[in-house]
Amino acid sequence: MRLRHIPGSEEEIENSTWVYHSPEETQKNISSPLYLEIGMGKGRFIMENAFTYPDISFIGIEMYESVMVKATRKLDSLPDDEKPLNLHLIRMDARDICDFFPKESIDRIYLNFPDPWPKARHAGRRLTSSGFLKRYDSILKKDGRIELKTDNLDLFEFSLEEARASGYEISYVTYDLHADEEAMKSNIMTGYEQKFSSLGNKICRYVIRRSLTSV
Ligand SMILES: C[S@@+](CC[C@H](N)C(=O)[O-])C[C@H]1O[C@@H](n2cnc3c(N)ncnc32)[C@H](O)[C@@H]1O
């Protein structure tokens, strides 16, 4: 994704009350059930989830202030009685995720349209690669799950292989989510999903679960 620097975004994120600023602050506020979106971008999906499921706590994770600030500005602009109390954000590189969350504290992780990093030498940066799956395995609850959506077929095949090799159980796979009427009943569109599906791209999705016999 091409990134345009937004002047002042670092300070806005630093001062935002939507954001947990440290592992300590995050751990002090852990509640259950807890769902994460890693790489939330401008936050359309996680905000819509927070509005739809007020009894679930949501945390959106994003690496760049210039992207996250689009979400905090949107949240700030909502009338007070519409602000979602069950949503918080963390600006971090997901590589550090295990510093922020206790072991077995997360019910669900959403990975929506993660950057594909097409070059083989960058495979370790993909959010669905084995190094990341190992981190998720440690913070997910025993019956926790990961849900991936992407329109990138190469990334999807890679992600399925990595999930199998890392000992996850694959409980749902589709190469055309929008043709699955049952799954679409509860589907919440992400910003990228809106964009790519309107261009005619098919959306792939998997749901994988921590296998009780895994690592
Ligand atoms: C292609 S965008 C998708 C945004 C959103 N999930 C959607 O579907 O509309 C991927 C996002 O993941 C973020 N990202 C990539 N690698 C990350 C990492 N290691 N830690 C946190 N965020 C990351 C990027 O900055 C970008 O905003």
Side-chain angles (χ1 to χ4, degrees):
M1 184 163 89
R2 210 179 323 123
L3 186 64
R4 192 170 60 87
H5 179 254
I6 297 185
S9 57
E10 290 85 356
E11 206 181 351
E12 269 185 68
I13 294 303
E14 184 60 39
N15 294 321
S16 174
T17 52
W18 296 103
V19 178
Y20 292 146
H21 297 97
S22 65
E24 294 72 27
E25 188 184 2
T26 309
Q27 291 186 14
K28 211 170 62 195
N29 288 290
I30 288 284
S31 52
S32 183
L34 180 54
Y35 292 10
L36 307 183
E37 184 187 9
I38 302 178
M40 61 166 233
K42 298 176 193 168
R44 181 191 193 278
F45 173 86
I46 196 100
M47 281 185 226
E48 205 53 41
N49 267 281
F51 297 137
T52 310
Y53 303 106
D55 297 333
I56 297 173
S57 292
F58 291 91
I59 295 185
I61 292 169
E62 170 56 49
M63 186 140 76
Y64 296 111
E65 286 95 347
S66 289
V67 180
M68 183 176 268
V69 79
K70 305 260 175 61
T72 55
R73 286 179 184 177
K74 176 103 191 279
L75 288 162
D76 285 338
S77 73
L78 294 170
D80 279 350
D81 60 350
E82 287 177 27
K83 290 193 197 309
L85 302 174
N86 56 333
L87 173 62
H88 289 88
L89 311 176
I90 304 175
R91 199 219 49 80
M92 68 151 132
D93 185 330
R95 278 173 212 282
D96 300 328
I97 200 160
C98 295
D99 298 342
F100 281 76
F101 298 99
K103 278 189 186 308
E104 301 193 346
S105 59
I106 310 297
D107 292 87
R108 199 174 288 189
I109 294 176
Y110 292 109
L111 303 170
N112 291 320
F113 298 81
D115 298 320
W117 291 106
K119 291 187 180 138
R121 70 171 188 278
H122 293 147
R125 298 185 192 178
R126 298 173 193 152
L127 291 176
T128 54
S129 62
S130 58
F132 279 101
L133 290 177
K134 204 167 170 190
R135 293 173 174 92
Y136 308 151
D137 190 63
S138 132
I139 57 170
L140 276 171
K141 290 183 185 170
K142 284 203 167 61
D143 55 352
R145 62 200 254 184
I146 302 173
E147 300 195 11
L148 166 69
K149 290 197 273 192
T150 180
D151 67 328
N152 185 305
L153 209 49
D154 288 341
L155 178 70
F156 192 58
E157 296 294 6
F158 167 86
S159 304
L160 282 167
E161 275 168 32
E162 293 286 281
R164 286 191 196 102
S166 302
Y168 282 80
E169 272 171 30
I170 308 212
S171 51
Y172 174 86
V173 175
T174 181
Y175 289 81
D176 189 1
L177 172 62
H178 290 202
D180 181 338
E181 278 181 33
E182 196 51 41
M184 285 305 283
K185 284 182 190 159
S186 57
N187 186 52
I188 291 181
M189 296 259 261
T190 83
Y192 271 65
E193 183 173 359
Q194 284 184 317
K195 188 161 105 185
F196 290 129
S197 60
S198 73
L199 294 174
N201 297 8
K202 289 199 168 47
I203 309 300
C204 306
R205 174 175 178 251
Y206 79 33
V207 178
I208 61 174
R209 293 175 187 277
R210 268 189 80 185
S211 164
L212 298 180
T213 54
S214 79
V215 279

